[in-house]
């Protein structure tokens, strides 16, 4: 089910409040907003509210036999990637960037925010269909800029179907298959990256794919391989 609201503070916060208040919100329920007044991105950053863009959240219920919940960032990234592929004239210009961004020609087109509440993960997704924010630390882009006219409601339906399919693969075939498909959709091995880690330090290196648990492998200048489990990643 896709529930559309004209305006709200944050679709993620709304779903979290419903769950915390005891409301049964089933997996696959989507809350999509025309306008967000207090949207949030990773590490507390504001989530851009562009009219005509996709701004929505959904629920994934974690089962005992599911792969590790942190790997959902990869699953959701693939769902967004597959959905956007059908909207662009040159899909080869799309790439995933760990842990949760979709790039178009190297510029940020979409982002993902995962938040755990009890046995559920709230998945927030923002896609620049019509407009892109101006950010000081990274390039951004919208589909409209490349001449792709995308109806928000149609995009929402397609994304919901894509995520359902990816979750089924995740649960049926495990994380190995997800990682291989994610790596195939990512920027090439050897891509220079800079990582701002949670302790405010910065490390530079080259992308070397993912570890078996979904962390990013970074080759440092001395040749050592370091596993990155958290941080902001920028193209070098």
């Amino acid at each position: 089910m896709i529930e559309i609201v004209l305006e709200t503070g944050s679709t993620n916060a709304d779903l979290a409040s419903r769950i915390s208040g005891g409301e049964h919100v089933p997996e696959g329920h989507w809350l999509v907003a025309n306008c967000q007044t207090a949207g949030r991105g990773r590490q507390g950053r504001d989530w851009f509210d562009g009219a005509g863009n996709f701004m929505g959240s959904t629920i994934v219920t974690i089962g005992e036999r599911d792969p590790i919940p942190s790997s959902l960032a990869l699953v959701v990234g693939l769902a967004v990637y597959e959905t956007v592929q059908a909207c662009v004239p040159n899909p080869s210009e799309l790439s995933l960037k760990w842990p949760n961004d979709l790039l178009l020609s190297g510029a940020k087109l979409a982002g993902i925010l995962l938040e755990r509440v009890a046995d559920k993960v709230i998945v927030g997704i923002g896609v620049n269909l019509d407009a892109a924010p101006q950010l000081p630390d990274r390039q951004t882009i919208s589909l409209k800029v490349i001449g792709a006219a995308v109806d928000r409601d149609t995009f929402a339906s397609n994304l919901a179907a894509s995520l359902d399919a990816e979750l089924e693969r995740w649960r049926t075939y495990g994380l190995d298959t997800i990682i291989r498909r994610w790596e195939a959709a990512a920027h090439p091995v050897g891509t220079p990256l800079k990582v701002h880690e949670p302790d405010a330090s910065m490390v530079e290196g080259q992308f070397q794919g993912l570890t078996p648990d979904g962390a990013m492998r970074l080759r440092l200048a001395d040749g050592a391989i370091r596993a990155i489990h958290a941080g902001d990643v920028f193209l070098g």
Side-chain angles (χ1 to χ4, degrees):
M1 175 183 173
I2 299 176
E3 175 188 356
I4 297 176
V5 294
L6 295 180
E7 181 178 313
T8 189
S10 160
T11 55
N12 261 38
D14 287 351
L15 290 183
S17 178
R18 292 182 188 184
I19 294 168
S20 298
E23 180 179 339
H24 173 63
V25 183
E27 180 168 299
H29 183 96
W30 285 80
L31 181 63
V32 176
N34 291 349
C35 175
Q36 282 193 142
T37 58
R40 293 171 293 113
R42 291 184 70 248
Q43 300 189 8
R45 286 187 291 264
D46 290 340
W47 189 331
F48 176 63
D49 175 15
N53 288 346
F54 177 84
M55 296 167 285
S57 302
T58 190
I59 295 290
V60 177
T61 301
I62 302 300
E64 292 182 358
R65 297 183 179 182
D66 288 344
I68 55 174
S70 61
S71 64
L72 277 171
L74 308 179
V75 177
V76 179
L78 282 169
V80 177
Y81 176 85
E82 296 288 346
T83 306
V84 173
Q85 266 196 323
C87 303
V88 297
N90 189 357
S92 66
E93 294 179 351
L94 287 172
S95 62
L96 290 167
K97 178 172 70 67
W98 191 92
N100 56 7
D101 286 347
L102 178 64
L103 307 181
L104 176 63
S105 299
K108 182 171 179 174
L109 176 68
I112 298 161
L113 176 67
L114 303 182
E115 297 181 295
R116 182 76 180 259
V117 179
D119 66 338
K120 300 182 185 296
V121 174
I122 302 171
V123 178
I125 300 171
V127 184
N128 300 331
L129 303 180
D130 191 72
Q134 297 297 315
L135 300 178
D137 59 352
R138 69 197 74 196
Q139 291 183 311
T140 60
I141 195 169
S142 70
L143 292 180
K144 186 176 182 179
V145 166
I146 65 168
V150 180
D151 176 74
R152 196 280 310 274
D153 291 350
T154 300
F155 183 88
S157 295
N158 292 341
L159 179 58
S162 181
L163 182 55
D164 283 348
E166 293 300 340
L167 287 170
E168 179 67 21
R169 294 186 183 103
W170 179 67
R171 289 172 170 143
T172 301
Y173 302 110
L175 189 51
D176 288 349
T177 298
I178 293 294
I179 286 176
R180 288 196 297 270
R181 292 179 54 237
W182 193 96
E183 288 176 332
H187 44 68
V189 168
T191 298
L193 299 175
K194 297 179 181 179
V195 182
H196 293 183
E197 297 189 285
D199 64 0
S201 63
M202 187 181 75
V203 59
E204 299 185 40
Q206 295 181 338
F207 177 66
Q208 293 294 308
L210 304 181
T211 67
D213 64 353
M216 184 178 72
R217 299 173 72 244
L218 194 69
R219 182 181 295 278
L220 306 181
D222 62 3
I225 300 294
R226 179 170 175 179
I228 304 294
H229 295 274
D232 272 348
V233 179
F234 299 85
L235 298 181

